[in-house]
Amino acid sequence: MIKVRFAPSPTGYLHIGGARTALFNWMYARAQDGKFVLRIEDTDQQRSKKEYEEEILRSLKWLGFEWDELYYQSRRFDIYREHAQRLLDEGKAYKEGEAIILKMIPDQEIKIFDLIRGEITFDSSELKDQVLMKSDGSPAYSFCCVVDDALMEISHVVRGEDHISNTPKQIMIYRALDWKVPKYAHLPLIMGEDGSRLSKRYGAVAVSDYQKQGYVAEALVNYLMLLGWSPGNNQEKISPEAAIKKFSLKKINKAGAVFSLEKLQWLNNLYLKELETPQLVEMLQPVLEEHGLDASELSGQEMANIVQLYKGRLTTLNIFAEWVDYAFLRDIEISGEMKHKHITPEAVEVLHEMARKVEAAGDFSALEAEKIFKGIAEARGFKASQLVLPARVALTAKDVGPSLFEIMAILGKERTAKRLSTISA
Ligand code: GLU
């Protein structure tokens, strides 16, 4: 049976790299009808924190990577000690104070048949004796990794490329224990767009932070899939179910994967605009609350109209609050720079006239707003486009956004007239 594991150390939050490792393990298990083990590697009692562990579990659940078995290394110290003792008894390890150390046998060829990277050969003469149990009684990473992978019957170790250098050491531990070595697949590194290590700026941010910023799990999972793998045929948007059908470890790229926030946002937009408006409205309520925006005076229909207008361009849920605050605020604040650029004395005069016409209008709608606007532009010999920016800034305090006339309809007659009439240079 295929059995894989994701083995995070709870010494930090779950980041993009860890989430991708978890995803590929989970997909492989599901693709092969195998089992997915989650193993919390919390042997370092100084650096492991409950808070990190909880965030890792919560994030994995949010992403939908359900595990079949869960283990904590901190509860398995007796098992590690027992196997270290066996190596001592067999003369394969020795004691140095309280520490137990494996004797490295020199001149051994160590071959890894990595499913992604192909054959990699090491010589055991390059390796030093390996600490198995530290003098404080805690096990060393490579030792408990081997003991657990063997006892948990892990068939494939799928992990980041940064662990390649640990693999020969771990194979020598398997040999000392007379255990079968699992198969390996080392995933390519994830780099920032400038080719450097993934930094805070380029995605080395906790999965829970992406969730807070208003990325949906489906989009993040879809994005993680593309970091080193591709469904083929230039397809980029794919559901986990469809991806699992096509997934194989052999098709993962050797070359480093590049993290692109822009691409993640593009995918998030695709998923957001597929949602039904009422569902999106519901998802946006907490975002508005968090940003101190009060939507209680708007009817359900008004709220739906606003969301409908922005739906196509949303890159995250949070950006909605930034883009649409003007619809919820009584007074908007136009930056000095924007005023200086767009609200000239000449523009003010036109905007005031527009205010009077809006006020005098009967039924006010986007269509009516457009009529008024175009009428004024024509009468004064302006191109409509010359007036769009001043009006947009006066109404929203922003210089980009969707259709100005739709915005006027959303604000309604009173608020549109008020914002236009009170504008000054
Ligand atoms: N606990 C290790 C880490 O967080 C995992 C090592 C492994 O997958 O073997 O990097």
Side-chain angles (χ1 to χ4, degrees), residues 126-405:
E126 288 157 25
L127 303 174
K128 292 198 273 267
D129 289 358
Q130 291 294 308
V131 175
L132 305 176
M133 300 295 290
K134 300 181 196 169
S135 50
D136 65 2
S138 67
Y141 153 68
S142 274
F143 185 55
C144 37
C145 179
V146 166
V147 170
D148 283 346
D149 284 342
L151 297 184
M152 293 168 193
E153 300 181 305
I154 300 302
S155 62
H156 293 70
V157 170
V158 181
R159 60 184 173 190
E161 197 185 273
D162 48 329
H163 283 292
I164 281 193
S165 60
N166 291 323
T167 307
K169 299 176 205 165
Q170 294 177 359
I171 289 177
M172 290 307 284
I173 299 175
Y174 279 101
R175 288 187 187 171
L177 289 162
D178 279 324
W179 282 344
K180 188 166 166 270
V181 179
K183 295 203 167 65
Y184 290 95
H186 286 95
L187 305 172
L189 288 179
I190 304 176
M191 297 168 306
E193 278 175 299
D194 56 358
S196 66
R197 272 196 57 187
L198 209 57
S199 64
K200 265 239 147 76
R201 238 182 100 206
Y202 294 110
V205 174
V207 165
S208 51
D209 281 329
Y210 285 104
Q211 184 183 8
K212 274 186 223 130
Q213 285 171 39
Y215 288 88
V216 288
E218 291 82 354
L220 192 53
V221 170
N222 192 156
Y223 183 67
L224 292 171
M225 277 180 205
L226 304 180
L227 291 173
W229 179 75
S230 137
N233 299 329
N234 285 329
Q235 188 186 357
E236 303 206 276
K237 185 166 180 287
I238 185 165
S239 69
E241 296 74 32
I244 284 165
K245 288 210 184 97
K246 298 182 167 204
F247 187 74
S248 94
L249 289 173
K250 291 199 179 90
K251 288 215 192 101
I252 293 173
N253 288 329
K254 260 197 281 251
V258 176
F259 180 85
S260 157
L261 189 61
E262 210 177 302
K263 186 145 187 189
L264 172 58
Q265 290 182 345
W266 170 76
L267 269 171
N268 204 42
N269 168 264
L270 292 188
Y271 282 89
L272 287 175
K273 66 184 174 202
E274 251 175 26
L275 295 170
E276 298 293 335
T277 300
Q279 193 187 351
L280 194 50
V281 167
E282 211 168 289
M283 287 162 84
L284 287 167
Q285 296 294 359
V287 172
L288 293 180
E289 260 163 55
E290 218 174 279
H291 288 80
L293 298 170
D294 179 11
S296 62
E297 277 177 34
L298 298 178
S299 72
Q301 188 55 53
E302 284 170 321
M303 185 66 190
N305 290 346
I306 298 176
V307 171
Q308 188 70 38
L309 184 59
Y310 281 86
K311 199 169 157 175
R313 51 174 78 200
L314 282 184
T315 47
T316 64
L317 293 171
N318 272 16
I319 201 82
F320 181 78
E322 201 179 297
W323 285 351
V324 202
D325 58 353
Y326 70 87
F328 304 99
L329 296 170
R330 201 166 292 277
D331 301 301
I332 53 170
E333 219 172 291
I334 303 169
S335 76
E337 194 191 340
M338 229 179 254
K339 242 187 173 172
H340 181 75
K341 224 163 132 191
H342 302 293
I343 312 293
T344 59
E346 200 183 17
V348 167
E349 208 198 308
V350 183
L351 295 175
H352 286 177
E353 183 188 344
M354 212 179 287
R356 288 191 295 275
K357 293 241 158 87
V358 167
E359 223 154 347
D363 234 4
F364 191 64
S365 63
L367 211 65
E368 183 62 27
E370 185 171 1
K371 250 193 244 158
I372 294 172
F373 187 89
K374 292 204 166 139
I376 293 172
E378 205 173 310
R380 293 194 175 233
F382 281 112
K383 274 195 247 145
S385 62
Q386 287 175 291
L387 295 183
V388 168
L389 267 171
R392 186 185 289 289
V393 169
L395 292 171
T396 67
K398 295 171 214 312
D399 54 8
V400 284
S403 152
L404 177 65
F405 312 122

